[in-house]
Amino acid sequence: MKIGVDYYPEHWDKGLWAEDAEDMKRAGVEIVRMAEFAWSRLEPEEGVYSFGWLDEIVGIFAKKQIQVMLSTPTCTPPLWLFEKYPEVIQVDKSGRRIPIGIRGHRCLNSPIYREKCRQIIKQMVSRYAENKWVVGYQIDNELEASHCCCPVCEEKFRSFVKKKYGTVEQVNQAYGNSVWSGEYSSFSQVKPPFGEHQTWLNPSYMLDFNRFASESTVEYVRFQEELIRSLDKKALVTTNTWLCENMPDFYNMFESLDFVSFDNYPATKLPGDNESLYSHAFHLDLMRGIKKKNFWIMEELSGSLGSWTPMPPTLPPGMLEGYSLQAIAHGADAVLHFRWRTAAVGAEMFWHGLIDHSNVKGRRYKEFCDLCKTVKEWKEIEGSVIKNRVAILYSSEQEYGFKIQPQVEGMHYFTQIKAYHDAFTSLGVGVDVINWLSDLSEYEIVIAPTIFITNSQIEKNLKMYAEHGGTLVLTSRSGVKDEYNRCIMQPLPTVFSELAGAVVKEYNPIGLGTQKIEVSDKIWKGKPFTCTLWCDILEPNQAEVLASYGEDFYQGEAAITRNNYGNGKVYYAGTVLNRKGMVALAEYIVKDLGMEYVQGLPFGVERTVRQKEADKFVFLFNNTDKRQDFVFQEIHNGEADAPERAVLEPFEMAVK
């Protein structure tokens, strides 16, 4: 396990470099990331390369025995490239080239841009291939699914559609282009989605464009990866990601890369209510689940975030170290803080690093030093992994579907995913967030939230999983559409109705309002709680009713059911419960299976487990700004262990 920093030597006077490296070594830094935005310094003129400064700083770190992770600088091409080759600039939905001057304004599919990328990457990787301190490369920076609409992308999208469907007649049928006289008579009419009114465009067509946009980004990553590996076979290769506006398919993007890297910026201002789910535990579990292996944090919160938005409160004491240790508890093997020193120039000058503009090593820097010391003391944890028995399915298809056609105010694809993740982790039950098409056989419980867009493979997987004894949880907005983003003409949840043992008679999109739920004694001793956003009014044909609605015209109708299917059980939750209700439902499910869980964890206290052979490392993290003094018990097969007491200061991590 390593703690590191992101460093931008091109931003600082060379007189600071050696001093910074010495301070990093003294603090405990083991790795630095550099150069992701330095193309203009590395190639100031076309074909004229200037790597001397990078050689010098790499050499300084090598003398301190600090590893270097370089980045291909392709996110920010230099201005001479845009001036000479303006066709590489992205085209937006209006059909215009976007204004340059910010990062990421290039078309990933442009042949000219690709060739210029190839040249600069070849120069960089060839230069450091024999340097043992340069351990790997981050490809580009925070790549999104490419929504460029330039002529090159237009032709590639047209080819994508033609390859998939073969004839315009097949496209028209798949998209339902008879609506609004949208039928193609020639493939020349297939274009990217131009115009302001994106949500008015054909949803089937829009889903394919999102798939194409993701595929373009994945293919761009493969292009860089293959080039890097051809030049340096020993190098680690990754790219950094985050939960951005246009997310690519993470599973395809990272498939052949060595590990996942995530940019982790949790909230510094915690919400004042217990319903808001602010923990980044979900994000971390999602990242670990992409390759089902440990991952890296390539950018970690170091101070107040600002620049293009107003600044939130700074990190209170304990938060910097706590959030970093939280990442490690969830499977991070390296945590690099963004950034060593707060920028004094440029757009990110108020996105704070470890050291402020004053250049005085203050409270956050000292806390960072404590973090480095703590991680060094955790060396016995190195090599440990996370093995969970509960999985939540994630799919970029659903993410695209919900953005193309929002279902109700306040409801997003992540709404139910995060709610179920929180419910189980509140019980100390670890959760993997995995590809929706993964093998499910290793899990006792699988939650499949909002399978809005379905296909034959997921239908088969879920049926097989339940038949063989698995416990499956389905939710509202499941089975709504087929793989072409067309509504299925059957009672909901359509292809999952047999699994659920119930159908939806009617639904009510209640949005941000709330309603009462009456619960069977089996779940929460008959006490009512509330639901929000969506109400499926269920008609069971085989399933048992576990909860009913407590008001409105469907008072007394089924809201949550459980069905025996094959050797397994299938729960169908037709609504989105409040937090207490979600936790109660999760507890009922794990108790029914006799699984290990924890009673007595206060709100905001998280329990995770890493394992190495026979060793088991249990982490307790206080993800709140209040001192927590509590008694908890581990439950095994319905039997409670002896009570344990824990006292945790705000953002403190304990490990045993």
Side-chain angles (χ1 to χ4, degrees), residues 376-581:
K376 280 184 170 61
E377 293 170 352
W378 283 8
K379 283 302 179 183
E380 72 274 12
I381 296 170
E382 195 159 338
S384 62
V385 296
I386 294 174
K387 297 179 181 179
N388 291 322
R389 297 158 66 190
V390 178
I392 295 178
L393 305 187
Y394 171 85
S395 160
S396 57
E397 298 274 292
Q398 319 312 324
E399 163 72 8
Y400 301 152
F402 267 69
K403 283 185 175 176
I404 292 166
Q405 288 190 306
Q407 292 299 283
V408 70
E409 185 182 4
M411 189 176 188
H412 309 281
Y413 173 52
F414 283 111
T415 300
Q416 296 201 65
I417 294 183
K418 287 185 174 182
Y420 279 94
H421 181 274
D422 173 75
F424 282 91
T425 56
S426 292
L427 300 170
V429 177
V431 176
D432 291 344
V433 184
I434 63 173
N435 187 347
W436 71 318
L437 301 179
S438 292
D439 175 17
L440 307 176
S441 59
E442 64 186 282
Y443 297 103
E444 289 194 48
I445 301 172
V446 168
I447 301 106
T450 52
I451 305 295
F452 187 62
I453 297 169
T454 187
N455 63 37
S456 59
Q457 186 175 346
I458 188 64
E459 295 162 27
K460 180 181 176 182
N461 281 4
L462 295 184
K463 286 180 179 178
M464 185 180 302
Y465 172 73
E467 282 174 351
H468 288 103
T471 294
L472 174 66
V473 181
L474 299 171
T475 77
S476 61
R477 308 317 288 145
S478 293
V480 177
K481 297 188 175 189
D482 65 14
E483 63 186 294
Y484 301 107
N485 210 12
R486 306 175 303 195
C487 284
I488 299 172
M489 292 183 63
Q490 298 173 29
L492 292 167
T494 68
V495 296
F496 304 120
S497 295
E498 182 186 352
L499 274 166
V503 294
V504 179
K505 293 195 299 185
E506 189 177 355
Y507 54 72
N508 185 13
I510 64 173
L512 298 175
T514 60
Q515 291 190 350
K516 293 178 183 177
I517 292 284
E518 302 291 344
V519 189
S520 162
D521 286 348
K522 293 179 180 178
I523 294 186
W524 203 29
K525 298 180 181 178
K527 294 181 181 178
F529 50 88
T530 60
C531 66
T532 188
L533 296 175
W534 195 273
C535 297
D536 278 343
I537 304 161
L538 301 177
E539 182 175 347
N541 46 51
Q542 294 180 14
E544 172 188 9
V545 177
L546 298 180
S548 303
Y549 294 106
E551 59 180 307
D552 217 318
F553 66 89
Y554 40 91
Q555 183 174 353
E557 300 277 11
I560 302 171
T561 59
R562 181 181 66 177
N563 186 43
N564 294 325
Y565 188 88
N567 294 317
K569 295 177 182 178
V570 180
Y571 293 79
Y572 187 92
T575 189
V576 183
L577 306 175
N578 67 353
R579 192 166 182 269
K580 283 186 176 180

Side-chain angles (χ1 to χ4, degrees), residues 178-413:
S178 58
V179 175
W180 293 350
S181 200
E183 290 163 309
Y184 299 125
S185 57
S186 166
F187 275 109
S188 63
Q189 295 155 13
V190 177
K191 300 178 185 295
F194 293 109
E196 295 180 8
H197 304 292
Q198 298 284 300
T199 54
W200 286 63
L201 297 176
N202 186 311
S204 300
Y205 151 78
M206 289 295 289
L207 178 59
D208 262 353
F209 184 76
N210 275 272
R211 288 165 170 160
F212 162 75
S214 177
E215 187 178 284
S216 294
T217 298
V218 171
E219 194 272 329
Y220 171 75
V221 170
R222 289 290 91 76
F223 149 71
Q224 290 212 20
E225 177 194 0
E226 290 168 7
L227 178 57
I228 293 168
R229 294 198 192 280
S230 72
L231 298 167
D232 186 352
K233 300 191 184 305
K234 69 170 174 47
L236 298 170
V237 184
T238 186
T239 187
N240 59 331
T241 195
W242 61 303
L243 302 190
C244 51
E245 176 64 23
N246 298 309
M247 285 182 283
D249 185 314
F250 294 134
Y251 307 100
N252 289 339
M253 186 168 75
F254 283 102
E255 183 178 9
S256 59
L257 299 181
D258 291 304
F259 52 87
V260 171
S261 296
F262 178 57
D263 293 351
N264 189 41
Y265 292 103
T268 62
K269 182 179 181 180
L270 307 189
D273 65 278
N274 284 357
E275 292 297 320
S276 299
L277 305 180
Y278 61 85
S279 175
H280 266 220
F282 166 77
H283 302 66
L284 301 169
D285 288 342
L286 172 61
M287 292 301 122
R288 189 187 66 254
I290 293 172
K291 292 180 74 70
K292 292 188 177 181
K293 59 190 272 189
N294 291 1
F295 60 100
W296 283 28
I297 299 295
M298 203 61 83
E299 296 183 15
E300 174 65 38
L301 179 74
S302 295
S304 182
L305 309 181
S307 294
W308 42 89
T309 59
M311 285 180 278
T314 191
L315 282 64
M319 181 180 275
L320 184 147
E321 181 174 12
Y323 278 159
S324 298
L325 297 179
Q326 179 196 32
I328 291 172
H330 284 267
D333 280 344
V335 178
L336 282 70
H337 280 253
F338 185 90
R339 49 197 280 170
W340 174 250
R341 182 185 291 107
T342 307
V345 295
E348 290 187 315
M349 65 176 70
F350 295 111
W351 196 284
H352 290 74
L354 295 169
I355 302 172
D356 288 333
H357 295 126
S358 64
N359 209 30
V360 174
K361 299 177 183 65
R363 174 178 60 85
R364 296 195 310 281
Y365 170 81
K366 292 172 184 175
E367 191 168 318
F368 174 78
C369 294
D370 291 339
L371 166 68
C372 293
K373 181 180 178 182
T374 297
V375 172
K376 280 184 170 61
E377 293 170 352
W378 283 8
K379 283 302 179 183
E380 72 274 12
I381 296 170
E382 195 159 338
S384 62
V385 296
I386 294 174
K387 297 179 181 179
N388 291 322
R389 297 158 66 190
V390 178
I392 295 178
L393 305 187
Y394 171 85
S395 160
S396 57
E397 298 274 292
Q398 319 312 324
E399 163 72 8
Y400 301 152
F402 267 69
K403 283 185 175 176
I404 292 166
Q405 288 190 306
Q407 292 299 283
V408 70
E409 185 182 4
M411 189 176 188
H412 309 281
Y413 173 52

